[in-house]
Amino acid sequence: MSKVIARIPSGFMELSPADQLVMSKMQKIIAETFEAFGFVPIDTPVMELSEVLLVKAGGETEKQIYSFKKGDTDLALRFDLTVPLARYVVMHQNDIVFPFKRYHIGKVYRGERPQKGRFREFYQCDIDVVGRDALDNSYDAEMPAVIYHVFDELGLKDFQIHINNRKILSGLCEHLSLAPEQASDVLRVVDKIMKVGQEAVTSELGAMNIPPDKVMQIIDFISQKGSCEELIQKLDSYPAQNQLFRTGVKELGEVIRGMKMLSVPAKNYTIDLTITRGLDYYTGTVYETMIDGHEDIGSVCSGGRYDNLSSYYTNEKMPGVGISIGLTRLFDQLKDRKLLSSGVKTCASVLIAPIAERSDYALQLAAALRKEKINVDLFMNSSKFAKKMQYANKIGVPLVALIGEDEEKARAVTIKNMETGEQVNLPLKEAITHIKTHKDKKAETALKIIRFFERDGR
Amino acid sequence: MSKVIARIPSGFMELSPADQLVMSKMQKIIAETFEAFGFVPIDTPVMELSEVLLVKAGGETEKQIYSFKKGDTDLALRFDLTVPLARYVVMHQNDIVFPFKRYHIGKVYRGERPQKGRFREFYQCDIDVVGRDALDNSYDAEMPAVIYHVFDELGLKDFQIHINNRKILSGLCEHLSLAPEQASDVLRVVDKIMKVGQEAVTSELGAMNIPPDKVMQIIDFISQKGSCEELIQKLDSYPAQNQLFRTGVKELGEVIRGMKMLSVPAKNYTIDLTITRGLDYYTGTVYETMIDGHEDIGSVCSGGRYDNLSSYYTNEKMPGVGISIGLTRLFDQLKDRKLLSSGVKTCASVLIAPIAERSDYALQLAAALRKEKINVDLFMNSSKFAKKMQYANKIGVPLVALIGEDEEKARAVTIKNMETGEQVNLPLKEAITHIKTHKDKKAETALKIIRFFERDGR
């Protein structure tokens, strides 16, 4: 019979079992951290009615959409988790308690031209707090606290959250008497400075009919550096007096203060007056997150404050603040840079391997261990013993419980530590305790799945 | 501005936050139970190349497929998790350790005509053990042990796993000198007996040119009842002597014995000679799972043994055994019958509510609690106090930490138990311990999320 070649469409990520275990662990850590901050999960259909999903799409986005007809219905696959959230809060508003703190970890689809690091199906991990009519600025301080805890729990210690408030730069533009459209352009252009450099931004601003002295003032302004305290002080004493500017500075100060109170270490965040997130969608606080020494990856977690989430579906005002992690891309980049430890191909803490034939005692031991909440794999093929140990080695299980005639007779277990090679023979009850203790110790260290290689000079 | 109505396509399930929490908890319990048995997660693209995915599709299935073109590529959404598994094991065979124990919880798509209880997007939760060349029958005993633990952990105590082996009925057909095509038809028809009744099956078998005495023998055979031990004994002494029949009986006996050794309670399984799972795909052990008193729902977890998983993609032989839970349908049915407890709209163990204004102390308390792995929600809108308690009531959080001026001054916390209404005022450290203890107690009871209403006479 002729065979079809087993393959997947290009631009899609599919992981080997060892990599998938790392990815799943990352997803679990992210979800648990979101829950630690009181966010609840939602789940929306992967496809939506085109009329509903594409209400504001256009240009580049629209071209990338996977859309199709089924019967008479025009459908499209979601390209982010924000539009589905906007639709969800309106549809379920009577079941929702506001402020609504939701998280969503799900796949989204964009038919981009396949290239390294770009995927057509990728995971986004989003949190948003959505208010009805109003939402205090205090929630803006919670977002970077969540970001900090997510990356800290992932084991990525060296990263920095860049924080800004769009009102400050908008206020500066007002102070410089720029027209509103010009201000919008300034924010879009300035945002690119990390990618394209100061010179390119300067010349692009110049090309926008902004007088050179004002361009210089903008560049000088956004280039200010210092600790958060220093920058807040500089902003406080900056000569721009309009309300927009003052509100932005006040909000930014509150966010920085809130983060401190929420115990986010000072080394993990900074005020960065260059970031604006480009889109006009954001109206206040904005965030980006860079991995130290790997800034070229770009931001691994971004977001911000918006004034109105669901204007396409309702007249009610729903302001909010949110962040998003592009997990598939992050995973790909970390793997590429060999920053992910992997190799284990099992969730089991112990493999039971009957030495000769499979045995009832082995099954009973498995049941007893699982009762103690220990993950157990049981090798049940009646293979040669060497093959069983080969399997244990290949899946990378930390312990093997060897069951032979002697063990069965004595109701004992021989436990082999696969890292050290040590073997102990223990009565059943003690064996279970031994495995449990070993598992708990492993779990503590295994939580941190991302490791950074020692860098020179550190 | 004219608004688009916020809605989703028909035939799709989207849950309110309260229901979603139950669904997410169910998914978590299922995943953890799979892992307790040594299964590892995989994740495959939702869409596949049509040529690869539809290699064996046809008829009803093909009509239900969501397929479309993107550029020059013919794509289709997966309609189950088995074909993607078949493709995955061939594609990743060098990274896989066999026997490969994988689980997959994911959405699949079938464009069925919308009707009550049928969904176009639904979750399947699958496990399979796939061998290379061979896979011992012992693994067939592990499957019902997993089913038992899944439903037990979900809190569904009253269910029964129906087990059979297709070789037995095939062997009976051989014993009755029926042609192989007839045997295949007999297995397909007999499988419907629970739905259509004995009379309908009898007449359908009669219409297939099987002599009435043989039809009677088949009906008598499959109608045998008794404990597993009694039935194995009856089968052992049954006059059919061909190898197929004998192998089937031997395998079934081994599975029953293995389940006993794996501590599956006798009340939760039974030998049911009527089930065959219809499809010729299955070649040995087959499983179905019924909820006591709700047999009309149909099987909530089914599967079986197959000889060759990936024949469309490779010449290598890959036998396996697997089961699948149709989670979306199961959730829908349990909810319909009011068998799911719901209403809570938070993952938080405690809500911090500053009595007057938001306070730094409240943020510090939140950070301290999260350090102790306690999920904390923090009400940060500067609303009236009544509004804060309204929020606490609506989300159903078990504890509220009240922070007023007195508490802040004394570095203390007033904790209100929302179930009993009791309040205690404790110094910070003791307050944290109090919340932690309460949370651990709650977690134990909250694990069982499905409750059965007391039935009459029990």
Side-chain angles (χ1 to χ4, degrees), chain A residues 10 29 94 102 179 252 259 276 300 359 372 389 422 429:
Chain A
S10 66
I29 288 173
N94 296 328
R102 87 84 174 80
L252 185 59
M259 288 174 70
T276 68
V300 296
S359 74
E372 299 295 323
M389 291 311 287
E422 280 172 288
K429 223 173 146 181

Side-chain angles (χ1 to χ4, degrees), chain A residues 1 3-9 12-17 20-21 24 32 35-49 51-52 55 63-66 68 70 75 77 87-88 90-92 95-101 107 109 111 121 123 134-136 138-139 142 153 254 257-258 261-263 311-315 345-348 358 360 363-364 366-367 370 373-382 391 394-395, chain B residues 1 3-9 12 14-17 20-21 24 32 35-49 51-52 55 63-66 68 70 75 77 87-88 90-92 95-101 107 109 111 121 123 134-136 138-139 142 153 254 257-258 261-263 311-315 345-348 358 360 363-364 366-367 370 373-382 391 394-395:
Chain A
M1 196 169 94
K3 305 292 175 190
V4 172
I5 296 167
R7 64 202 196 283
I8 57 173
F12 284 69
M13 176 188 272
E14 183 173 83
L15 301 175
S16 69
Q20 184 60 50
L21 276 173
S24 297
E32 283 174 358
E35 291 182 3
F37 280 80
F39 290 82
V40 293
I42 71 165
D43 186 10
T44 70
V46 163
M47 67 184 85
E48 300 256 359
L49 296 167
E51 184 200 349
V52 174
V55 64
K63 262 187 268 167
Q64 295 178 353
I65 304 285
Y66 284 92
F68 51 91
K70 182 82 184 166
L75 297 163
L77 302 188
R87 197 253 317 134
Y88 184 95
V90 175
M91 217 176 124
H92 298 271
D95 289 321
I96 286 174
V97 188
F98 292 91
F100 180 45
K101 299 173 83 170
K107 287 176 171 179
Y109 297 83
E121 177 186 65
Y123 276 100
L135 184 75
D136 267 37
S138 315
Y139 284 100
E142 199 172 49
E153 289 290 334
E254 282 172 6
R257 181 184 172 79
M261 291 304 130
L262 284 165
S263 303
S311 59
Y312 294 99
Y313 309 118
T314 181
N315 285 318
K345 299 182 180 180
T346 183
C347 313
R358 59 189 186 275
D360 288 348
L363 299 184
Q364 289 165 347
R370 286 182 191 128
K373 300 282 166 213
I374 296 165
N375 291 354
V376 181
D377 194 3
L378 184 57
F379 195 94
M380 295 204 274
N381 266 358
S382 48
Y391 176 85
K394 280 191 184 167
I395 63 171
Chain B
M1 195 168 92
K3 305 292 174 190
V4 172
I5 296 166
R7 64 202 195 283
I8 57 173
F12 285 68
E14 183 173 83
L15 301 175
S16 71
Q20 185 59 49
L21 276 173
S24 297
E32 284 174 357
E35 290 182 3
F37 281 80
F39 290 83
V40 293
I42 72 165
D43 187 9
T44 70
V46 163
M47 66 185 83
E48 300 255 0
L49 296 167
E51 184 200 350
V52 174
V55 63
K63 261 186 269 168
Q64 295 178 353
I65 305 285
Y66 284 92
F68 51 92
K70 182 82 185 167
L75 297 162
L77 302 188
R87 197 254 317 134
Y88 184 95
V90 175
M91 217 175 124
H92 298 272
D95 289 321
I96 285 174
V97 188
F98 292 92
F100 181 45
K101 298 173 82 170
K107 287 175 170 180
Y109 297 83
E121 176 186 65
Y123 276 101
L135 184 77
D136 267 36
S138 313
Y139 284 100
E142 200 173 49
E153 289 291 335
E254 282 172 7
R257 183 183 168 78
M261 291 304 130
L262 284 166
S263 304
S311 58
Y312 294 99
Y313 310 118
T314 181
N315 285 317
K345 299 182 181 180
T346 184
C347 312
R358 57 187 186 277
D360 288 348
L363 299 185
Q364 290 165 346
R370 286 183 191 127
K373 301 282 165 209
I374 296 166
N375 291 354
V376 181
D377 194 3
L378 184 56
F379 195 94
M380 296 203 275
N381 267 357
S382 48
Y391 175 85
K394 278 191 185 166
I395 63 171

